[in-house]
Amino acid sequence: MTTLSELEFLLVSNDYATLTAVSGGVKKYEAKLALVPNAEAAKELLGRRKIDAVFVDLEVDGALLLIEAVRKGASSARAAIFACVKTPADTTQALSAGANFALRAPLTIEGVALHITIAKEILLRERRRYFRHPVNLTVMLKEGSEEQQARMTNLSEGGMALRSLRPLKHGTTVEFWFEFTFGEEVSGRGQVAWTSTEGMAGILFQTIHGMGRGYLGMWLTAQEQLKGTVEKGGEKG
């Protein structure tokens, strides 16, 4: 099962005290933490990586616009957002922009850890939704009138990662269809959430046709059960 240690956090701040408190709080759960000093660097990182939670220091220029951008983005739109605030007005503005929680300065390690605990169910539910199971499946893509065959490398309830010969463009909409090894086909429409120079791309599902959602759910349940069995076997060993 997914645990907090598997989560990825992002801190947007250039303040040492904020960094100390947030990194200490995240460290209590042995989770990963990336640090960027400004809003532009945060947008660049969020455009190529799925982040589970974002700490945004409202002292950073463009902090409120960044929170709004995260909510409108493709890959991390459902991320939990913790706003680091100093005044009641900051709190109101941050929550209105889309933040889930407001942490009042001065931040402490214990306070950050407590807020992560409070947000635990939100964080883990979204992580399960986006947990990518490794696969090796052929997937057909159609963008406009052009079709191409690609190789799917992982799959989740919310989307898939793949490698294609012709590069996909970030933000475009594509039709897709693929078949599981047990013979059932899944088709639908999705948005290109991220791309890489190596020909990789992430597709965020928008619509899945017919019985496809049910077939995907059955496959994901089987993978989760298999993962749990393997983990239990490792603990016994």
Side-chain angles (χ1 to χ4, degrees), residues 15 18 57-59 83-91 103-106:
D15 178 70
T18 300
D57 184 351
L58 254 64
E59 293 292 292
C84 307
V85 304
K86 288 189 174 180
T87 68
D90 286 344
T91 298
L103 288 73
R104 191 77 174 268

Short mmCIF file of all heavy atoms in Angstrom, two decimals, residues 15 18 57-59 83-91 103-106:
data_model
loop_
_atom_site.label_atom_id
_atom_site.label_comp_id
_atom_site.label_asym_id
_atom_site.label_seq_id
_atom_site.Cartn_x
_atom_site.Cartn_y
_atom_site.Cartn_z
N ASP A 15 13.66 31.47 1.79
CA ASP A 15 13.85 31.83 3.20
C ASP A 15 14.41 30.63 3.97
O ASP A 15 13.83 29.54 3.94
CB ASP A 15 12.52 32.26 3.80
CG ASP A 15 12.64 32.61 5.27
OD1 ASP A 15 13.25 33.64 5.58
OD2 ASP A 15 12.13 31.83 6.10
N THR A 18 12.10 29.02 6.71
CA THR A 18 11.01 28.23 6.10
C THR A 18 11.54 26.91 5.59
O THR A 18 10.92 25.86 5.78
CB THR A 18 10.36 29.03 4.95
OG1 THR A 18 9.84 30.25 5.46
CG2 THR A 18 9.24 28.23 4.31
N ASP A 57 5.67 29.69 -0.20
CA ASP A 57 5.93 30.83 0.67
C ASP A 57 5.33 32.07 0.00
O ASP A 57 5.74 32.45 -1.10
CB ASP A 57 7.45 30.99 0.84
CG ASP A 57 7.81 32.09 1.82
OD1 ASP A 57 6.92 32.85 2.24
OD2 ASP A 57 9.01 32.19 2.16
N LEU A 58 4.35 32.69 0.67
CA LEU A 58 3.69 33.85 0.06
C LEU A 58 4.60 35.07 -0.04
O LEU A 58 4.23 36.07 -0.67
CB LEU A 58 2.41 34.20 0.82
CG LEU A 58 1.13 33.80 0.06
CD1 LEU A 58 1.04 32.30 -0.10
CD2 LEU A 58 -0.11 34.35 0.72
N GLU A 59 5.79 35.01 0.54
CA GLU A 59 6.76 36.09 0.39
C GLU A 59 7.42 36.05 -0.99
O GLU A 59 8.04 37.03 -1.42
CB GLU A 59 7.84 35.97 1.47
CG GLU A 59 7.33 36.23 2.88
CD GLU A 59 6.92 37.68 3.09
OE1 GLU A 59 7.80 38.56 3.08
OE2 GLU A 59 5.70 37.93 3.24
N ALA A 83 0.09 26.84 1.98
CA ALA A 83 0.57 28.21 1.87
C ALA A 83 1.24 28.62 3.17
O ALA A 83 0.68 28.44 4.26
CB ALA A 83 -0.58 29.15 1.55
N CYS A 84 2.44 29.17 3.08
CA CYS A 84 3.18 29.66 4.25
C CYS A 84 2.90 31.16 4.36
O CYS A 84 3.34 31.93 3.51
CB CYS A 84 4.68 29.40 4.09
SG CYS A 84 5.06 27.67 3.72
N VAL A 85 2.13 31.56 5.36
CA VAL A 85 1.60 32.92 5.44
C VAL A 85 2.07 33.63 6.71
O VAL A 85 2.56 33.01 7.65
CB VAL A 85 0.06 32.90 5.40
CG1 VAL A 85 -0.43 32.18 4.15
CG2 VAL A 85 -0.51 32.21 6.65
N LYS A 86 1.88 34.96 6.71
CA LYS A 86 2.25 35.77 7.87
C LYS A 86 1.07 36.51 8.48
O LYS A 86 1.09 36.86 9.66
CB LYS A 86 3.35 36.76 7.49
CG LYS A 86 4.71 36.12 7.27
CD LYS A 86 5.81 37.16 7.10
CE LYS A 86 7.18 36.50 7.02
NZ LYS A 86 8.27 37.50 6.87
N THR A 87 0.04 36.79 7.69
CA THR A 87 -1.09 37.58 8.17
C THR A 87 -2.42 36.90 7.83
O THR A 87 -2.48 36.05 6.92
CB THR A 87 -1.08 38.98 7.53
OG1 THR A 87 -1.38 38.84 6.12
CG2 THR A 87 0.26 39.66 7.71
N PRO A 88 -3.50 37.28 8.51
CA PRO A 88 -4.82 36.75 8.17
C PRO A 88 -5.21 37.06 6.72
O PRO A 88 -5.87 36.25 6.06
CB PRO A 88 -5.75 37.47 9.15
CG PRO A 88 -4.88 37.76 10.33
CD PRO A 88 -3.54 38.10 9.74
N ALA A 89 -4.78 38.23 6.24
CA ALA A 89 -5.06 38.58 4.84
C ALA A 89 -4.37 37.63 3.89
O ALA A 89 -4.94 37.22 2.86
CB ALA A 89 -4.61 40.02 4.56
N ASP A 90 -3.13 37.23 4.22
CA ASP A 90 -2.41 36.24 3.41
C ASP A 90 -3.20 34.94 3.35
O ASP A 90 -3.31 34.31 2.29
CB ASP A 90 -1.03 35.95 4.02
CG ASP A 90 -0.03 37.07 3.80
OD1 ASP A 90 -0.30 37.94 2.93
OD2 ASP A 90 1.00 37.08 4.49
N THR A 91 -3.72 34.53 4.49
CA THR A 91 -4.48 33.28 4.57
C THR A 91 -5.69 33.32 3.65
O THR A 91 -5.93 32.39 2.87
CB THR A 91 -4.94 33.01 6.01
OG1 THR A 91 -3.79 32.88 6.86
CG2 THR A 91 -5.78 31.75 6.10
N LEU A 103 -0.25 27.74 6.73
CA LEU A 103 0.64 27.58 7.88
C LEU A 103 1.15 28.96 8.26
O LEU A 103 1.81 29.62 7.46
CB LEU A 103 1.81 26.65 7.56
CG LEU A 103 1.52 25.16 7.41
CD1 LEU A 103 0.79 24.85 6.11
CD2 LEU A 103 2.83 24.38 7.46
N ARG A 104 0.86 29.37 9.48
CA ARG A 104 1.21 30.73 9.94
C ARG A 104 2.65 30.77 10.43
O ARG A 104 3.11 29.91 11.18
CB ARG A 104 0.25 31.12 11.07
CG ARG A 104 0.32 32.59 11.48
CD ARG A 104 -0.42 33.46 10.49
NE ARG A 104 -0.47 34.86 10.96
CZ ARG A 104 -1.46 35.35 11.68
NH1 ARG A 104 -2.48 34.57 12.04
NH2 ARG A 104 -1.44 36.61 12.06
N ALA A 105 3.38 31.80 10.00
CA ALA A 105 4.76 32.01 10.46
C ALA A 105 4.75 32.47 11.93
O ALA A 105 3.80 33.13 12.36
CB ALA A 105 5.43 33.05 9.58
N PRO A 106 5.78 32.12 12.69
CA PRO A 106 6.96 31.34 12.27
C PRO A 106 6.66 29.84 12.21
O PRO A 106 6.03 29.30 13.11
CB PRO A 106 7.98 31.65 13.37
CG PRO A 106 7.13 31.91 14.58
CD PRO A 106 5.90 32.60 14.08
#
